[in-house]
Amino acid sequence: MKFSEQWLREWVSPQLATQALADQITMAGLEVDAVESVAAIFEGVVVAEVLEKIQHPDADKLSVCRVDDGTGEPVQVVCGAPNVAVGQRVPFARVGAVLPGDFKIKKAKLRGQESRGMICSASELGLEEETSPGILELPASAPVGEDFRAWLGLDDHTIEVDLTPNRGDCLSVKGMAREVGVLNRLPVAGPAIAPVAATHDETVAVRVEDREHCPRYIGRLIKGVDVTAETPLWMVERLRRSGIRSIDPVVDVTNYVMLELGQPLHAFDRANLHGAVIVRLAREGERLVLLDGQEVTLTDTTLVIADERGPLAIAGVMGGEHSGVNTETRDIFLESAFFAPLAVAGQARNYGLHTDASHRFERGVDPLLAREAAERATALLLEITGGEPGPLVEVASGEHLPGERQVRLRAARLEQALSKALPADEVTEILERLGMAVQADELGWSAVAPSWRFDIAIEEDLIEEVARIHGYNRLPVRRPAARLALRPDHEARTPLARLRRQMVARGYQEAVTYSFVAPELQKALLPEAVSPVLANPISADLSVMRASLFPGLVRALQHNLNRQQTRVRLFETGLIFRGELDDLQQLPMLGALVCGSRDPEGWAAGRESVDFFDLKGDLESLLAMGGEPEAWRFEPATHSALHPGQCARILHRGEEAGWIGTLHPAVRAQLGLKVDAVLFEVRLDALTHGRVPAFTPLSRFPEVRRDLAFLVDEDLPVQALLDTIHGQADEWLTESRLFDVYRGKGVAEGRKSVALGLTWQHPSRTLNDEEINQLVDAIVTESRQHLGAELRG
């Protein structure tokens, strides 16, 4: 919310400097983001009148003018602006004036003609960022000779306040003035707003079909307006200082009243209304061209303003192009309504829009403000554009309007929360200054929240109001008393921080992605996944909760590849969501993704790309941290997002704990990725589970090693062979190591040679060859019978 300090001080003006006022507003919980001057620094500029204009004898685009600057003697000046004309009031920089950018005005000759000063444009005075097409024309009432800066009130500041969503009541000068008045115990005096008497009895019929979402709708027909009239400079300036550009007097008035009172308004061209104005839900598939030229297809959950032929506007968001005011408009239908916040919330984002009106309606507009705003806008329109007002037409549904909210505040609870006992009279005064009807008793207070405070509903809300108005800096500072004990250190668990450090040590960077993803991306990777769909997403491509870490990691990969980062190593930890809301599983996971070269570029580094086994090695380094790597297994399986031949299911103690594999080529092509990527995700609860390290004394007796090379089927997992070996090798087998896999000459097609090194060692005696030979024979026999393995000669 941006507003002019001068405008605010017309409502309430505490004896505070600008920065002190901004600090006070911030300390009241309404954070001031910026305080800026409304115009650049300049001096020596006055209001002048153009008395004479003749063509420059030696330049087609220059004029020689004589202006009255209030000194009593006309001044000659050469001007190149195309819109300069006799009788205009203009800003005039006298000789010696200093304009923005430290530009000094001096006597000069332009093509042989003397020029003593300069007629200024808005951009030359720092009032516009873009170069103005001509000089700034002032109203005829501008006093000749008056200092231009003082006359236009340019020694002013724009204050920008960053409001939290619950304080929609402060999205207006009136709302901010209420707050400043309460903080300084000052009365608030806004403009007098009286009902405008109707001069004709013609109306436009209004029919509200959805009274739950639109409990109050007010309209008025104003005939014979002059849309070509010029918006007064004072209004243009106030709009500019609030960050809004002047468009035409009708739009300017509706914007002005919205900024002043907080009630969004809209004006329709009466000539383009057919029959009654209808407030209803859109019909599926209806289309509407908005004021910004965008054509949207409406859904049946969108509240619209329509006539007998179709929709005219998205209620509370934006009007339609066809029914809007234009230069040919003569009669307007002025709309002032209260739309329920839930009816507007999310609608703007659903259509890729964000407007000042939707910003206010989503946060809640005072339901009693619509009539006052309509009367204020009518009076301003009649003053600027003329016209004949008709009677106000109102359709209201009392049962659907927000009801009276009575909230109880206990004195004991207030003292407990603030660590300070406030006098009962002060609490009553604070609540009454905030616009509440208060009843005090022995135990506390009962307060009725004012219609503009949607955020006051429970006792804690009243405590917050009392605290901030009393002053947070006046509350006592006390250290919390707490019994602090050391947390037990579960040695059998691997801390998440240690897992993160391990991933970073292996060259990964941690990614933090949204817990919600694009439905198309999740469907491409996990077509069978079921996860909650957000009712009010922040954008259309972040509308479903993630059922896996894969979509976020792949999206991060795309982001990096699009920025020419070809070597990507990312990991992420977070929750995934599986199932519907009534049966939702929230599982903490750790995932990782790699692509590009195995090693960073360097003189001693190769250019090989990472593969499945690189990532598997990094994962196994995490599994080993739990102290029981034997609890983990990898088995071939298929996954919708992973390459069928390079994919494995991760098992922990026989239960599925995750997946690892190369991104499926079809998925990669669908996503437009031109490089392979390998990724995994594993359950954090299994990954952090381990066992307490225990000391095992070293044996003093020699170890015995046997190397065995088996010929097995190509598709037989080595793990199956290891399981068979461990089943027959008894407890003295201390190590089994795969040291060679061979395919080629001497090995039949469809078979492979797997060489294993087996080491035995007894803790209390020396093992003899006979014992080892018996164990080896048992291993060979079992492997032949169950796996079809043959000992290679």
Side-chain angles (χ1 to χ4, degrees):
M1 170 67 186
K2 292 176 67 175
F3 58 91
S4 159
E5 180 187 357
Q6 287 182 359
W7 194 1
L8 175 69
R9 289 186 183 276
E10 288 185 8
W11 287 71
V12 58
S13 185
Q15 298 299 311
L16 295 172
T18 301
Q19 190 57 52
L21 176 62
D23 293 342
Q24 185 185 64
I25 294 172
T26 296
M27 288 303 297
L30 310 175
E31 183 180 357
V32 173
D33 269 355
V35 178
E36 298 176 349
S37 297
V38 301
I41 300 299
F42 61 84
E43 60 182 27
V45 180
V46 298
V47 177
E49 180 180 2
V50 179
L51 302 177
E52 180 183 333
K53 171 191 173 184
I54 61 174
Q55 179 65 44
H56 192 293
D58 298 322
D60 293 339
K61 295 184 178 181
L62 297 179
S63 301
V64 180
C65 302
R66 292 168 62 81
V67 301
D68 177 9
D69 66 349
T71 58
E73 181 181 346
V75 179
Q76 179 172 303
V77 60
V78 177
C79 180
N83 62 328
V84 65
V86 174
Q88 284 178 338
R89 300 289 170 94
V90 294
F92 177 68
R94 292 169 170 163
V95 172
V98 180
L99 299 186
D102 199 28
F103 178 64
K104 297 180 181 179
I105 303 300
K106 302 176 182 178
K107 290 182 182 179
K109 279 192 175 184
L110 299 177
R111 296 289 184 92
Q113 295 294 317
E114 184 180 50
S115 181
R116 292 184 292 142
M118 185 173 78
I119 302 175
C120 302
S121 66
S123 58
E124 288 166 341
L125 296 174
L127 301 180
E128 289 182 359
E129 292 186 5
E130 298 180 0
T131 302
S132 303
I135 61 170
L136 177 61
E137 300 180 46
L138 305 181
S141 59
V144 173
E146 183 81 12
D147 182 271
F148 175 76
R149 190 177 187 89
W151 172 75
L152 202 55
L154 294 179
D155 291 323
D156 185 15
H157 296 87
T158 291
I159 300 176
E160 184 172 0
V161 180
D162 184 15
L163 297 172
T164 51
N166 64 314
R167 292 309 307 271
D169 62 293
C170 290
L171 287 168
S172 64
V173 174
K174 180 179 181 180
M176 291 302 305
R178 273 195 303 251
E179 285 294 302
V180 174
V182 169
L183 295 171
N184 294 281
R185 291 182 168 84
L186 293 175
V188 177
I193 301 176
V196 177
T199 59
H200 66 83
D201 57 2
E202 186 177 343
T203 62
V204 175
V206 174
R207 187 167 78 246
V208 180
E209 296 181 357
D210 190 340
R211 300 200 172 195
E212 179 181 357
H213 289 152
C214 180
R216 171 169 282 133
Y217 190 93
I218 293 175
R220 165 177 270 156
L221 178 62
I222 304 177
K223 301 172 65 176
V225 298
D226 180 9
V227 180
T228 62
E230 186 176 353
T231 303
L233 185 59
W234 62 266
M235 181 178 288
V236 172
E237 268 297 293
R238 286 188 172 177
L239 292 174
R240 180 185 74 84
R241 297 176 195 187
S242 299
I244 295 180
R245 180 174 57 88
S246 174
I247 298 175
D248 64 55
V250 175
V251 175
D252 291 347
V253 165
T254 58
N255 284 333
Y256 181 84
V257 174
M258 177 185 68
L259 292 172
E260 182 181 62
L261 303 180
Q263 171 70 51
L265 304 167
H266 187 65
F268 296 95
D269 186 341
R270 175 66 180 90
N272 293 322
L273 300 182
H274 303 280
V277 170
I278 308 167
V279 185
R280 61 172 173 82
L281 290 176
R283 301 182 180 96
E284 191 70 38
E286 283 186 316
R287 301 182 70 81
L288 176 65
V289 179
L290 300 172
L291 283 171
D292 62 359
Q294 176 186 178
E295 184 175 9
V296 296
T297 301
L298 303 171
T299 65
D300 57 7
T301 60
T302 302
L303 188 69
V304 297
I305 312 300
D307 61 10
E308 304 294 349
R309 292 189 179 182
L312 304 170
I314 300 177
V317 179
M318 185 180 287
E321 184 179 64
H322 175 69
S323 61
V325 174
N326 56 65
T327 55
E328 304 299 322
T329 299
R330 292 295 173 264
D331 304 331
I332 64 172
F333 178 70
L334 182 66
E335 168 194 280
S336 180
F338 171 72
F339 300 112
L342 290 179
V344 180
Q347 291 299 334
R349 283 194 297 273
N350 287 344
Y351 297 103
L353 303 169
H354 180 79
T355 64
D356 290 327
S358 67
H359 188 75
R360 286 164 172 77
F361 279 123
E362 287 176 354
R363 287 153 177 74
V365 173
D366 185 353
L368 304 182
L369 187 60
R371 178 176 286 271
E372 179 184 358
E375 298 287 10
R376 174 66 167 158
T378 301
L380 289 171
L381 283 170
L382 297 181
E383 178 184 337
I384 299 170
T385 67
E388 301 174 8
L392 285 178
V393 176
E394 180 174 3
V395 178
S397 174
E399 62 179 304
H400 294 116
L401 284 167
E404 185 179 89
R405 300 183 307 283
Q406 184 166 341
V407 185
R408 180 71 181 166
L409 174 60
R410 296 165 293 167
R413 178 72 182 92
L414 179 65
E415 181 178 354
Q416 179 190 35
L418 303 186
S419 297
K420 182 179 182 179
L422 299 182
D425 291 345
E426 181 181 353
V427 176
T428 301
E429 181 201 17
I430 288 174
L431 297 178
E432 287 179 343
R433 280 190 288 147
L434 287 166
M436 304 182 198
V438 183
Q439 289 288 335
D441 55 39
E442 294 180 356
L443 299 179
W445 303 264
S446 290
V448 177
S451 58
W452 59 84
R453 289 302 298 271
F454 281 75
D455 59 317
I456 295 179
I458 59 177
E459 186 176 35
E460 283 70 17
D461 296 330
L462 293 182
I463 294 173
E464 179 186 358
E465 292 301 298
V466 172
R468 71 183 189 86
I469 301 302
H470 175 72
Y472 294 126
N473 55 341
R474 296 173 60 192
L475 297 177
V477 177
R478 295 183 180 175
R479 293 181 177 87
R483 181 175 174 271
L484 302 177
L486 293 175
R487 292 183 299 175
D489 185 10
H490 300 286
E491 293 185 70
R493 300 191 66 82
T494 304
L496 177 57
R498 189 176 166 206
L499 296 173
R500 285 187 171 124
R501 286 196 297 269
Q502 176 70 1
M503 292 298 288
V504 171
R506 297 184 75 89
Y508 288 78
Q509 291 182 308
E510 184 170 10
V512 180
T513 66
Y514 285 112
S515 296
F516 21 87
V517 297
E520 299 81 9
L521 179 59
Q522 180 149 294
K523 187 176 181 181
L525 293 165
L526 308 161
E528 305 299 326
V530 176
S531 63
V533 178
L534 299 181
N536 187 21
I538 60 175
S539 67
D541 61 347
L542 295 171
S543 59
V544 298
M545 303 302 291
R546 64 187 180 194
S548 165
L549 297 181
F550 287 172
L553 289 170
V554 170
R555 186 73 175 268
L557 171 64
Q558 291 176 313
H559 182 86
N560 279 271
L561 292 177
N562 290 340
R563 285 153 183 80
Q564 299 178 319
Q565 302 302 308
T566 56
R567 186 175 187 270
V568 180
R569 302 173 73 86
L570 299 173
F571 79 96
E572 180 176 17
T573 62
L575 291 175
I576 64 171
F577 307 85
R578 292 176 179 169
E580 300 293 351
L581 282 176
D582 54 355
D583 186 27
L584 183 64
Q585 286 184 297
Q586 301 184 56
L587 303 174
M589 306 289 285
L590 186 148
L593 178 148
V594 294
C595 86
S597 61
R598 177 173 292 137
D599 300 307
E601 185 178 6
W603 66 272
R607 297 189 177 182
E608 300 86 359
S609 296
V610 290
D611 59 21
F612 176 91
F613 296 102
D614 291 311
L615 186 64
K616 183 172 180 283
D618 292 335
L619 175 57
E620 286 177 333
S621 75
L622 297 180
L623 306 184
M625 296 174 71
E628 49 177 5
E630 69 279 359
W632 295 88
R633 294 289 182 88
F634 296 85
E635 66 174 24
T638 58
H639 186 284
S640 57
L642 303 177
H643 194 298
Q646 301 177 41
C647 172
R649 178 186 285 109
I650 305 169
L651 301 176
H652 180 253
R653 298 187 184 279
E655 295 184 0
E656 182 179 312
W659 289 87
I660 181 171
T662 303
L663 193 63
H664 198 294
V667 174
R668 198 185 73 193
Q670 184 178 347
L671 299 178
L673 295 173
K674 298 181 180 179
V675 295
D676 280 326
V678 191
L679 59 170
F680 76 74
E681 69 173 351
V682 62
R683 286 205 333 263
L684 260 180
D685 58 347
L687 198 57
T688 57
H689 181 79
R691 66 185 175 198
V692 178
F695 172 72
T696 301
L698 297 176
S699 174
R700 295 184 296 109
F701 298 92
E703 61 183 28
V704 179
R705 172 167 172 146
R706 294 286 190 272
D707 291 344
L708 304 177
F710 291 96
L711 293 173
V712 297
D713 291 340
E714 177 70 38
D715 58 356
L716 179 74
V718 173
Q719 187 64 52
L721 191 57
L722 290 173
D723 290 343
T724 301
I725 291 172
H726 284 277
Q728 299 297 318
D730 79 22
E731 59 182 330
W732 304 326
L733 182 69
T734 58
E735 185 179 28
S736 56
R737 184 180 297 277
L738 172 69
F739 65 85
D740 184 54
V741 177
Y742 173 73
R743 303 171 182 84
K745 186 177 180 181
V747 177
E749 187 175 352
R751 304 276 281 180
K752 63 184 175 182
S753 171
V754 177
L756 300 165
L758 307 179
T759 303
W760 285 269
Q761 187 177 34
H762 199 283
S764 59
R765 65 181 179 84
T766 300
L767 294 172
N768 57 51
D769 288 344
E770 183 179 351
E771 290 175 302
I772 299 301
N773 290 337
Q774 288 178 357
L775 294 175
V776 170
D777 290 342
I779 290 171
V780 172
T781 302
E782 188 71 14
S783 299
R784 182 185 300 114
Q785 291 177 353
H786 291 88
L787 303 178
E790 296 292 340
L791 199 62
R792 182 180 176 191

